[in-house]
Amino acid sequence: MDIGTMIAGRTSAEVISCGVDTPVRDAIAILADRRIGALPVMEHGRVVGIFSERDVVYRLANEGDACLSRSMGEVMTSPPITVERRTGILDALALMTRRRIRHLPVVDGEAMCGFISIGDLVKARLDEIQSEAEAMREYIQTA
């Protein structure tokens, strides 16, 4: 299975994001209100960075509450690591493991068409494994 199949039915309009001018304080409020771990940071319709819980922790540890007034453009992790729709689930999981990240923007050219978490990928992989196991059970029972 690939990422495109996994995100089929989702729209990019469903992705919660923020702009490069968004203050850190506001982005933290979005993370908390939506109970999410990261936000893609957008500029002129394309993803230019990621802002995650880790960014919050690192900035607070290094700068204290002074970082709360800074903009996303100053504090985001950039450039973002992205995947395309045709990327396989196992390839995306390997990328996340290797780069020690938990969120990936899905891009089509320069346009973001989705945003996935490691939890999304694990769930999709488990669903695949369960489906394969069920098919194997049915095959064995009819053989």
Side-chain angles (χ1 to χ4, degrees), residues 65-122:
D65 64 0
C67 72
L68 298 176
S69 299
R70 294 181 67 189
S71 71
M72 285 293 98
E74 297 176 271
V75 301
M76 67 186 179
T77 299
S78 182
I81 299 166
T82 63
V83 291
E84 297 176 344
R85 288 177 182 269
R86 68 176 181 263
T87 304
I89 289 175
L90 291 177
D91 292 331
L93 281 168
L95 174 63
M96 290 174 126
T97 300
R98 188 173 60 253
R99 298 300 300 266
R100 301 185 55 82
I101 57 176
R102 295 176 291 178
H103 300 86
L104 286 170
V106 182
V107 296
D108 188 3
E110 288 193 6
M112 186 175 65
C113 56
F115 194 62
I116 58 172
S117 71
I118 197 163
D120 295 329
L121 294 172
V122 169

Side-chain angles (χ1 to χ4, degrees), residues 24 27-28 31 37-39 41 49-53 55-56 72 75-76:
V24 169
I28 291 171
L31 294 175
L39 291 167
V41 181
I50 303 288
F51 182 71
S52 72
E53 298 161 322
D55 293 311
V56 173
M72 285 293 98
V75 301
M76 67 186 179

Side-chain angles (χ1 to χ4, degrees), residues 29-67:
I30 294 168
L31 294 175
D33 290 345
R34 298 296 186 128
R35 301 186 58 78
I36 55 177
L39 291 167
V41 181
M42 307 295 291
E43 183 175 46
H44 306 299
R46 61 186 195 91
V47 62
V48 293
I50 303 288
F51 182 71
S52 72
E53 298 161 322
R54 287 181 183 171
D55 293 311
V56 173
V57 171
Y58 296 151
R59 293 295 176 168
L60 284 172
N62 290 331
E63 301 172 28
D65 64 0
C67 72

Side-chain angles (χ1 to χ4, degrees), residues 20-32:
V20 292
D21 296 326
T22 303
V24 169
R25 176 179 276 103
D26 293 353
I28 291 171
I30 294 168
L31 294 175

